[in-house]
Every structure is written in structure tokens, then in C-alpha cells.
Amino acid sequence: MEELKVLNQLLTEFYDKLSSWEQSVVKDTGYSLAQVHTIEVLGAHDAMRMKELADKLGITTGTLTVQVDKLVKAGLIERSPHQDDRRSILVVLTEAGRAVHEHHNSLHLELVQDLTRHIEPKQMTALIDGMKCMNREF
């Protein structure tokens, strides 16, 4: 039980630090953190239905519609009708949206490289395995 308390504290501290880092990286872009997260998910998964994207982000489709409207207006996302389901709308990054994604993703990679520079290969393998297990629980 003590290990769970320690892990809880460490995860909470890491989340707080990562959130702070994300805010600092996004603040000068002109986009909100929610908009950048939308771009991140689309960049990782390509074209998606609005419902799928909302589920990945953990938000309602109504909330997502507001985000997508702003990103369409900014030229970062395009909407198109789904080829097989006329009721569905697909959203996909534009070239400019892909550039924002690639830049933000490169910042993430730099952060991970900095954070793991002193981790031994066996520790890295254990960390990756542990994160995979935890992510499956969501």
C-alpha cells in the first residue's frame, strides 16, 4: 500500500509539471490547450469522425464542435462528409494543421528526451511496459 501512495504522489507531481509545461508551450501559439490537443489527436490518427474524436478527447461532440469551428476558421482543420455515412462528418488536419502538429510533437519528443536522458536502458524498457499497462486501463 505504501508503494501505491508513493506512485500516486509521483504521478500527481508529474501530471502537474507536464500540465504546466504544456501551458507554457501553448501560450504563445495563439491556440488554446484544448485546440492543440485536438490537433495532437488528429495528427496521431488522421481523419476521424467527430464522435470518435470527441471520445478520444473525453469531451462532448457539442464542445468539440466549438473547437473544430475555431480550427476550421484558422485553416488548421477541414470538415468533409463521410463517404459511407452521410450523417457523419470527418475532420482532418490541413497542411498548416499538420505543421502545427509536427512542431508540437517535436517539442514533446525533446521533453521526453530531456526527461529520460539519465534512465538506463532496462529502466526505460520497464517504464515503457508500465506506461503501456496503465494506458490500457483507461
Short mmCIF file of all heavy atoms in Angstrom, two decimals, residues 57-93:
data_model
loop_
_atom_site.label_atom_id
_atom_site.label_comp_id
_atom_site.label_asym_id
_atom_site.label_seq_id
_atom_site.Cartn_x
_atom_site.Cartn_y
_atom_site.Cartn_z
N LEU A 57 -10.86 12.62 -27.02
CA LEU A 57 -10.53 13.79 -26.21
C LEU A 57 -11.26 13.80 -24.87
O LEU A 57 -10.93 14.61 -24.00
CB LEU A 57 -10.86 15.07 -26.99
CG LEU A 57 -9.99 15.35 -28.20
CD1 LEU A 57 -10.62 16.43 -29.07
CD2 LEU A 57 -8.59 15.74 -27.77
N GLY A 58 -12.25 12.95 -24.71
CA GLY A 58 -13.02 12.90 -23.47
C GLY A 58 -13.94 14.10 -23.31
O GLY A 58 -14.15 14.57 -22.19
N ILE A 59 -14.49 14.59 -24.42
CA ILE A 59 -15.39 15.73 -24.38
C ILE A 59 -16.65 15.41 -25.18
O ILE A 59 -16.70 14.41 -25.90
CB ILE A 59 -14.73 17.02 -24.95
CG1 ILE A 59 -14.29 16.82 -26.41
CG2 ILE A 59 -13.54 17.44 -24.08
CD1 ILE A 59 -13.70 18.07 -27.06
N THR A 60 -17.65 16.26 -25.07
CA THR A 60 -18.89 16.06 -25.81
C THR A 60 -18.70 16.52 -27.25
O THR A 60 -17.81 17.33 -27.55
CB THR A 60 -20.05 16.84 -25.20
OG1 THR A 60 -19.80 18.24 -25.35
CG2 THR A 60 -20.25 16.48 -23.73
N THR A 61 -19.55 16.05 -28.14
CA THR A 61 -19.48 16.49 -29.52
C THR A 61 -19.83 17.98 -29.62
O THR A 61 -19.32 18.68 -30.50
CB THR A 61 -20.41 15.66 -30.44
OG1 THR A 61 -21.72 15.65 -29.90
CG2 THR A 61 -19.89 14.25 -30.60
N GLY A 62 -20.68 18.47 -28.72
CA GLY A 62 -21.00 19.90 -28.72
C GLY A 62 -19.78 20.75 -28.41
O GLY A 62 -19.53 21.76 -29.07
N THR A 63 -19.03 20.34 -27.40
CA THR A 63 -17.80 21.06 -27.05
C THR A 63 -16.79 20.96 -28.19
O THR A 63 -16.12 21.94 -28.54
CB THR A 63 -17.20 20.48 -25.75
OG1 THR A 63 -18.14 20.63 -24.70
CG2 THR A 63 -15.90 21.16 -25.38
N LEU A 64 -16.71 19.78 -28.80
CA LEU A 64 -15.78 19.59 -29.91
C LEU A 64 -16.15 20.48 -31.09
O LEU A 64 -15.27 21.02 -31.75
CB LEU A 64 -15.73 18.13 -30.34
CG LEU A 64 -14.83 17.83 -31.53
CD1 LEU A 64 -13.37 18.19 -31.22
CD2 LEU A 64 -14.95 16.37 -31.94
N THR A 65 -17.44 20.62 -31.35
CA THR A 65 -17.89 21.45 -32.48
C THR A 65 -17.36 22.87 -32.36
O THR A 65 -16.90 23.46 -33.34
CB THR A 65 -19.43 21.44 -32.57
OG1 THR A 65 -19.85 20.10 -32.83
CG2 THR A 65 -19.92 22.35 -33.68
N VAL A 66 -17.37 23.41 -31.15
CA VAL A 66 -16.84 24.76 -30.92
C VAL A 66 -15.35 24.80 -31.24
O VAL A 66 -14.87 25.71 -31.92
CB VAL A 66 -17.10 25.22 -29.46
CG1 VAL A 66 -16.42 26.53 -29.16
CG2 VAL A 66 -18.60 25.31 -29.20
N GLN A 67 -14.60 23.79 -30.78
CA GLN A 67 -13.16 23.72 -31.05
C GLN A 67 -12.89 23.60 -32.55
O GLN A 67 -12.04 24.29 -33.10
CB GLN A 67 -12.52 22.51 -30.35
CG GLN A 67 -12.55 22.54 -28.87
CD GLN A 67 -11.67 23.62 -28.27
OE1 GLN A 67 -10.96 24.34 -28.96
NE2 GLN A 67 -11.74 23.75 -26.98
N VAL A 68 -13.62 22.72 -33.20
CA VAL A 68 -13.41 22.48 -34.63
C VAL A 68 -13.77 23.73 -35.43
O VAL A 68 -13.05 24.08 -36.38
CB VAL A 68 -14.19 21.23 -35.10
CG1 VAL A 68 -14.21 21.13 -36.62
CG2 VAL A 68 -13.57 19.97 -34.49
N ASP A 69 -14.85 24.40 -35.05
CA ASP A 69 -15.21 25.64 -35.75
C ASP A 69 -14.05 26.63 -35.74
O ASP A 69 -13.72 27.22 -36.77
CB ASP A 69 -16.44 26.30 -35.12
CG ASP A 69 -17.74 25.59 -35.43
OD1 ASP A 69 -17.76 24.74 -36.33
OD2 ASP A 69 -18.74 25.88 -34.73
N LYS A 70 -13.42 26.78 -34.59
CA LYS A 70 -12.29 27.72 -34.47
C LYS A 70 -11.09 27.25 -35.29
O LYS A 70 -10.41 28.06 -35.92
CB LYS A 70 -11.90 27.88 -33.00
CG LYS A 70 -12.94 28.62 -32.17
CD LYS A 70 -12.56 28.66 -30.71
CE LYS A 70 -13.64 29.34 -29.89
NZ LYS A 70 -13.32 29.31 -28.45
N LEU A 71 -10.85 25.95 -35.28
CA LEU A 71 -9.70 25.41 -36.02
C LEU A 71 -9.94 25.44 -37.53
O LEU A 71 -8.99 25.63 -38.29
CB LEU A 71 -9.38 24.00 -35.52
CG LEU A 71 -8.82 23.96 -34.09
CD1 LEU A 71 -8.80 22.54 -33.55
CD2 LEU A 71 -7.44 24.59 -34.02
N VAL A 72 -11.18 25.27 -37.95
CA VAL A 72 -11.51 25.42 -39.38
C VAL A 72 -11.29 26.86 -39.80
O VAL A 72 -10.67 27.14 -40.83
CB VAL A 72 -12.96 24.97 -39.66
CG1 VAL A 72 -13.42 25.42 -41.04
CG2 VAL A 72 -13.09 23.45 -39.53
N LYS A 73 -11.77 27.78 -38.97
CA LYS A 73 -11.60 29.21 -39.26
C LYS A 73 -10.12 29.60 -39.34
O LYS A 73 -9.73 30.43 -40.15
CB LYS A 73 -12.32 30.05 -38.19
CG LYS A 73 -12.40 31.51 -38.51
CD LYS A 73 -13.25 32.24 -37.48
CE LYS A 73 -13.36 33.70 -37.87
NZ LYS A 73 -14.24 34.44 -36.97
N ALA A 74 -9.29 28.94 -38.51
CA ALA A 74 -7.85 29.21 -38.51
C ALA A 74 -7.13 28.49 -39.65
O ALA A 74 -5.92 28.68 -39.83
CB ALA A 74 -7.25 28.79 -37.16
N GLY A 75 -7.84 27.66 -40.39
CA GLY A 75 -7.24 26.96 -41.51
C GLY A 75 -6.43 25.73 -41.12
O GLY A 75 -5.60 25.26 -41.91
N LEU A 76 -6.69 25.19 -39.93
CA LEU A 76 -5.91 24.05 -39.45
C LEU A 76 -6.62 22.71 -39.62
O LEU A 76 -5.98 21.66 -39.59
CB LEU A 76 -5.52 24.25 -37.98
CG LEU A 76 -4.70 25.51 -37.69
CD1 LEU A 76 -4.45 25.65 -36.20
CD2 LEU A 76 -3.40 25.50 -38.47
N ILE A 77 -7.93 22.77 -39.77
CA ILE A 77 -8.75 21.55 -39.90
C ILE A 77 -9.74 21.77 -41.03
O ILE A 77 -10.23 22.88 -41.24
CB ILE A 77 -9.51 21.24 -38.58
CG1 ILE A 77 -8.54 20.74 -37.52
CG2 ILE A 77 -10.61 20.22 -38.81
CD1 ILE A 77 -9.21 20.42 -36.20
N GLU A 78 -10.06 20.68 -41.72
CA GLU A 78 -11.12 20.70 -42.73
C GLU A 78 -12.18 19.68 -42.34
O GLU A 78 -11.86 18.63 -41.80
CB GLU A 78 -10.58 20.31 -44.11
CG GLU A 78 -9.65 21.31 -44.72
CD GLU A 78 -9.07 20.84 -46.05
OE1 GLU A 78 -9.11 19.62 -46.34
OE2 GLU A 78 -8.57 21.70 -46.78
N ARG A 79 -13.43 20.03 -42.63
CA ARG A 79 -14.55 19.10 -42.46
C ARG A 79 -14.93 18.56 -43.83
O ARG A 79 -14.87 19.27 -44.82
CB ARG A 79 -15.76 19.81 -41.90
CG ARG A 79 -15.73 20.16 -40.46
CD ARG A 79 -17.11 20.73 -40.11
NE ARG A 79 -17.24 20.98 -38.70
CZ ARG A 79 -17.20 22.18 -38.14
NH1 ARG A 79 -17.02 23.25 -38.89
NH2 ARG A 79 -17.34 22.32 -36.86
N SER A 80 -15.37 17.29 -43.84
CA SER A 80 -15.90 16.74 -45.08
C SER A 80 -16.92 15.66 -44.72
O SER A 80 -16.83 15.04 -43.67
CB SER A 80 -14.79 16.16 -45.95
OG SER A 80 -14.15 15.10 -45.27
N PRO A 81 -17.90 15.45 -45.61
CA PRO A 81 -18.88 14.39 -45.33
C PRO A 81 -18.21 13.02 -45.39
O PRO A 81 -17.29 12.81 -46.18
CB PRO A 81 -19.92 14.54 -46.44
CG PRO A 81 -19.35 15.49 -47.43
CD PRO A 81 -18.17 16.16 -46.84
N HIS A 82 -18.66 12.12 -44.54
CA HIS A 82 -18.14 10.75 -44.55
C HIS A 82 -18.63 10.06 -45.82
O HIS A 82 -19.80 10.18 -46.19
CB HIS A 82 -18.61 9.99 -43.31
CG HIS A 82 -17.91 8.70 -43.10
ND1 HIS A 82 -18.24 7.56 -43.79
CD2 HIS A 82 -16.90 8.36 -42.28
CE1 HIS A 82 -17.47 6.57 -43.41
NE2 HIS A 82 -16.64 7.03 -42.48
N GLN A 83 -17.75 9.35 -46.47
CA GLN A 83 -18.06 8.72 -47.75
C GLN A 83 -19.16 7.67 -47.63
O GLN A 83 -20.01 7.55 -48.52
CB GLN A 83 -16.79 8.09 -48.32
CG GLN A 83 -16.87 7.78 -49.78
CD GLN A 83 -15.50 7.38 -50.32
OE1 GLN A 83 -14.53 7.23 -49.59
NE2 GLN A 83 -15.42 7.21 -51.62
N ASP A 84 -19.17 6.91 -46.53
CA ASP A 84 -20.11 5.80 -46.38
C ASP A 84 -21.30 6.10 -45.47
O ASP A 84 -22.24 5.32 -45.42
CB ASP A 84 -19.38 4.56 -45.85
CG ASP A 84 -18.26 4.11 -46.77
OD1 ASP A 84 -18.41 4.26 -47.99
OD2 ASP A 84 -17.24 3.63 -46.24
N ASP A 85 -21.22 7.18 -44.72
CA ASP A 85 -22.27 7.51 -43.76
C ASP A 85 -22.57 9.00 -43.86
O ASP A 85 -21.85 9.83 -43.32
CB ASP A 85 -21.83 7.13 -42.35
CG ASP A 85 -22.89 7.38 -41.29
OD1 ASP A 85 -23.98 7.90 -41.63
OD2 ASP A 85 -22.62 7.06 -40.11
N ARG A 86 -23.66 9.33 -44.56
CA ARG A 86 -23.97 10.74 -44.80
C ARG A 86 -24.26 11.51 -43.52
O ARG A 86 -24.19 12.73 -43.50
CB ARG A 86 -25.18 10.86 -45.73
CG ARG A 86 -24.89 10.35 -47.12
CD ARG A 86 -26.03 10.55 -48.05
NE ARG A 86 -27.32 10.36 -47.40
CZ ARG A 86 -28.49 10.42 -48.00
NH1 ARG A 86 -28.54 10.66 -49.27
NH2 ARG A 86 -29.60 10.22 -47.34
N ARG A 87 -24.56 10.82 -42.43
CA ARG A 87 -24.83 11.51 -41.16
C ARG A 87 -23.54 11.93 -40.46
O ARG A 87 -23.56 12.74 -39.56
CB ARG A 87 -25.63 10.60 -40.22
CG ARG A 87 -26.99 10.22 -40.76
CD ARG A 87 -27.59 9.11 -39.94
NE ARG A 87 -26.72 7.93 -40.09
CZ ARG A 87 -26.74 6.87 -39.30
NH1 ARG A 87 -27.59 6.81 -38.30
NH2 ARG A 87 -25.92 5.86 -39.50
N SER A 88 -22.43 11.35 -40.84
CA SER A 88 -21.16 11.61 -40.16
C SER A 88 -20.33 12.65 -40.91
O SER A 88 -20.35 12.71 -42.13
CB SER A 88 -20.33 10.32 -40.06
OG SER A 88 -20.94 9.42 -39.20
N ILE A 89 -19.60 13.40 -40.13
CA ILE A 89 -18.66 14.39 -40.66
C ILE A 89 -17.26 13.94 -40.27
O ILE A 89 -17.00 13.57 -39.12
CB ILE A 89 -18.93 15.79 -40.08
CG1 ILE A 89 -20.34 16.26 -40.43
CG2 ILE A 89 -17.87 16.78 -40.52
CD1 ILE A 89 -20.55 16.50 -41.91
N LEU A 90 -16.35 13.95 -41.23
CA LEU A 90 -14.95 13.66 -40.97
C LEU A 90 -14.20 14.98 -40.79
O LEU A 90 -14.49 15.96 -41.47
CB LEU A 90 -14.31 12.90 -42.13
CG LEU A 90 -14.69 11.45 -42.31
CD1 LEU A 90 -14.02 10.89 -43.56
CD2 LEU A 90 -14.28 10.63 -41.11
N VAL A 91 -13.25 14.96 -39.88
CA VAL A 91 -12.36 16.11 -39.72
C VAL A 91 -10.94 15.62 -39.94
O VAL A 91 -10.57 14.50 -39.56
CB VAL A 91 -12.51 16.80 -38.35
CG1 VAL A 91 -13.82 17.55 -38.27
CG2 VAL A 91 -12.41 15.81 -37.21
N VAL A 92 -10.14 16.45 -40.59
CA VAL A 92 -8.77 16.10 -40.92
C VAL A 92 -7.92 17.36 -40.86
O VAL A 92 -8.42 18.47 -41.10
CB VAL A 92 -8.68 15.42 -42.31
CG1 VAL A 92 -9.09 16.37 -43.42
CG2 VAL A 92 -7.32 14.83 -42.55
N LEU A 93 -6.66 17.20 -40.51
CA LEU A 93 -5.75 18.34 -40.49
C LEU A 93 -5.45 18.82 -41.89
O LEU A 93 -5.29 18.02 -42.81
CB LEU A 93 -4.44 17.97 -39.80
CG LEU A 93 -4.48 17.64 -38.32
CD1 LEU A 93 -3.09 17.24 -37.82
CD2 LEU A 93 -5.02 18.82 -37.50
#
